[in-house]
Amino acid sequence: MSERRRILTGDRPTGRMHLGHYVGSLRNRVRLQDEYECFFIIADLHMLTTKNSPQDISAVADNARGMVLDYLSVGIDPAKSTIFLQSAVHETYELALLFGNLVTVPRLARLPSIKEMARAALIDEDTIPFGLLGYPVLQAADILLPRAHLVPVGKDNQSHVEITREIARRFNNLYGDVFPEPADLVEGDTLPGTDGQAKMSKSIGNAIFLSDDPATVRKKVFSMYTDPNRIRSDIPGTVEGNPVFTYLDHFDPNVAAVAELKTRYRAGRVGDVEVKERLATVLQDFLAPIRERAEYYAGQSGLVDEVIYQGTLRMREVGAETLRQVEKAMGITGSFNRIARKAEDRAKRLAAQGAG
Ligand code: TRP
């Protein structure tokens, strides 16, 4: 088990996951967990870089639980993989601080992704907080804490994995080999929204969620955007860029039937209703086992929390070992560490007395 190479990836806990997440990242993660030892991070500290009001923070717990329930329901298996809460792994904070000395401010300030996140959060370029500038440094700490070899990410996060490699290289050159230089694995396709826009997104309201009930899925499918020029079913239709067919391509296991349907659509020999009826059925079939697993995990009170708790313990164990290596390599294990250890022992004793 410890022979397997490691993966770290994950998401900020912003809410429930949809078919776009499935196609873009989740299905890939499910596949990868047999070949790699996977660590999936609930990146709640990264949330704080753009959303840190008390209201934002109070929404995190529910969002994180919903997100993990979605992970589990698509087949991420806690017996194979580690799902953990970033903010509960204190080694992350320590590593991020140490890494802050291995990258320059201009290097970070030039990144388009930082500017993009600032823009999306309505933050002026000249009032970007230190924390947002340090987003990739914190991400490097996430990735290198389990000494991951591979990081599946979207295009928007590729530059952060590049920074991670630079930090790993700089650390290894300066202090000795501790970290692998992780490779990025660019994640899959983006799925268009039900409205035909290029990307399915919760904030645009064009998403079909993994947790949508059958009636909602059906309603969303029947309100989907199709070929706008096709005002009657005997008019030849366009399949390319038509989201109904894009979804069929992704989710219908019967490729021949989809091909036949496309032929008829192009020839003006099938109505939108029949195509949507097929898609609705296909999606219900696809979602059925996902719903079943969701019911299993949600049905036992405390189970999702227990999965996160166990994963967090595992991550802390691995992280503590990494930090031991880091401190040893950097030479911060001398007299100062003895002082630190004494202070920690003392604090623990006092806490125990207080509790007793
Ligand atoms: N930055 C990722 C996002 O856009 C979340 C994340 C945090 C992450 N740490 C990571 C992804 C480490 C991959 C590896 O939501």
Side-chain angles (χ1 to χ4, degrees), residues 56-85:
D56 293 331
I57 293 169
S58 71
V60 165
D62 275 351
N63 284 342
R65 287 192 182 102
M67 192 171 96
V68 172
L69 184 58
D70 292 336
Y71 282 6
L72 297 168
S73 69
V74 296
I76 289 179
D77 181 350
K80 296 179 188 163
S81 300
T82 299
I83 302 171
F84 71 97
L85 183 65

Side-chain angles (χ1 to χ4, degrees), residues 8-12 41 43 46 135 139 142-143 151 153 157:
L8 183 131
T9 188
D11 306 279
R12 280 166 289 178
I41 185 170
H46 275 105
Y135 187 111
Q139 195 163 348
D142 299 335
I143 294 165
V151 188
V153 282
N157 267 249

